Amino acid sequence: MKQKVSDPKQRLLDTATELFYNQGYHATGINQVIQEAGVARASLYLHYESKESLLMAFLNHRHDVWFAALKTFTDRVNKPREKILAAFDFLLDINEKENFRGCAFLNILSETTEKDVAVLNIIQDHKKDLRAFLGDILTKEKQSVKDHIYLLFESAIVESQLFRNQWPVMEARKMAGGLL
């Protein structure tokens, strides 16, 4: 059993992280977040001005945690080709750990409208950072190869979630290796 953090703000973020990722944003009511975090309603609004504010905190937190884990995988090796392959190995690992739940950002994207500008900006920034991260590994490659690797990576995430299977990641990994 997980031990509860004493800080109400952190408990709210931890609870929202779990619920928004596993249930979706719209399917998660603010009362459920408050109840499962074990905080008073006033605590929520003391730390987060709205449910959307809590969503943005979740996305920013997820960005940091996700990138730290990705970097752990890619830092284990030195050569660009191996780093890219290690990035795909990260997807294999996270699929197992998170039961093929997929990309938190794309999952939230499917729930947004054009009015959700602040949320959309966070999602776009995450994807821009991912594209830059992969591109920075491939400094000697043409931009088209960098773009192909990024698109293979993204499609591997989506398709492995759709089919709840590792084959899309393994195939994308092979294709990326072939490009490099």
Side-chain angles (χ1 to χ4, degrees):
M1 184 174 202
K2 271 199 292 192
Q3 187 177 3
K4 289 245 182 186
V5 177
S6 63
D7 176 31
K9 182 177 183 179
Q10 189 62 49
R11 284 201 321 262
L12 284 162
L13 180 58
D14 292 346
T15 303
T17 294
E18 184 175 327
L19 294 173
F20 291 166
Y21 184 63
N22 289 310
Q23 292 180 185
Y25 176 66
H26 291 300
T28 301
I30 204 64
N31 290 334
Q32 182 184 11
V33 174
I34 290 167
Q35 181 182 4
E36 291 193 25
V39 301
R41 180 173 292 279
S43 287
L44 171 71
Y45 294 108
L46 174 67
H47 299 295
Y48 302 99
E49 60 187 52
S50 64
K51 184 180 175 189
E52 183 184 44
S53 162
L54 185 56
L55 172 63
M56 291 187 295
F58 153 66
L59 290 171
N60 287 320
H61 174 70
R62 176 67 180 193
H63 175 85
D64 294 341
V65 169
W66 192 88
F67 263 100
L70 175 61
K71 287 176 184 176
T72 297
F73 268 76
T74 59
D75 285 349
R76 292 178 184 163
V77 291
N78 294 319
K79 295 181 179 174
R81 184 178 190 279
E82 280 84 28
K83 283 185 175 292
I84 293 298
L85 297 178
F88 284 93
D89 292 340
F90 164 72
L91 292 182
L92 293 169
D93 183 67
I94 203 165
N95 278 343
E96 292 296 324
K97 287 179 179 170
E98 296 182 342
N99 197 27
F100 295 92
R101 187 65 189 109
C103 175
F105 298 87
L106 295 179
N107 292 345
I108 295 298
L109 177 64
S110 71
E111 297 189 60
T112 62
T113 69
E114 66 277 354
K115 295 176 188 172
D116 301 313
V117 175
V119 172
L120 182 59
N121 286 337
I122 292 171
I123 295 168
Q124 288 174 339
D125 287 345
H126 173 75
K127 295 304 181 177
K128 287 175 188 173
D129 288 349
L130 174 58
R131 187 172 177 222
F133 176 82
L134 296 172
D136 288 346
I137 292 172
L138 300 170
T139 56
K140 295 182 180 178
E141 298 294 334
K142 294 178 187 176
Q143 187 60 47
S144 62
V145 171
K146 293 177 185 183
D147 290 342
H148 286 123
I149 297 297
Y150 168 74
L151 292 172
L152 283 168
F153 194 85
E154 281 295 302
S155 66
I157 294 170
V158 172
E159 295 299 303
S160 63
Q161 180 184 11
L162 172 64
F163 290 103
R164 303 187 60 72
N165 197 291
Q166 297 286 27
W167 73 260
V169 179
M170 292 184 289
E171 288 302 312
R173 186 183 189 280
K174 278 190 242 174
M175 287 184 247
L179 284 171
L180 303 173

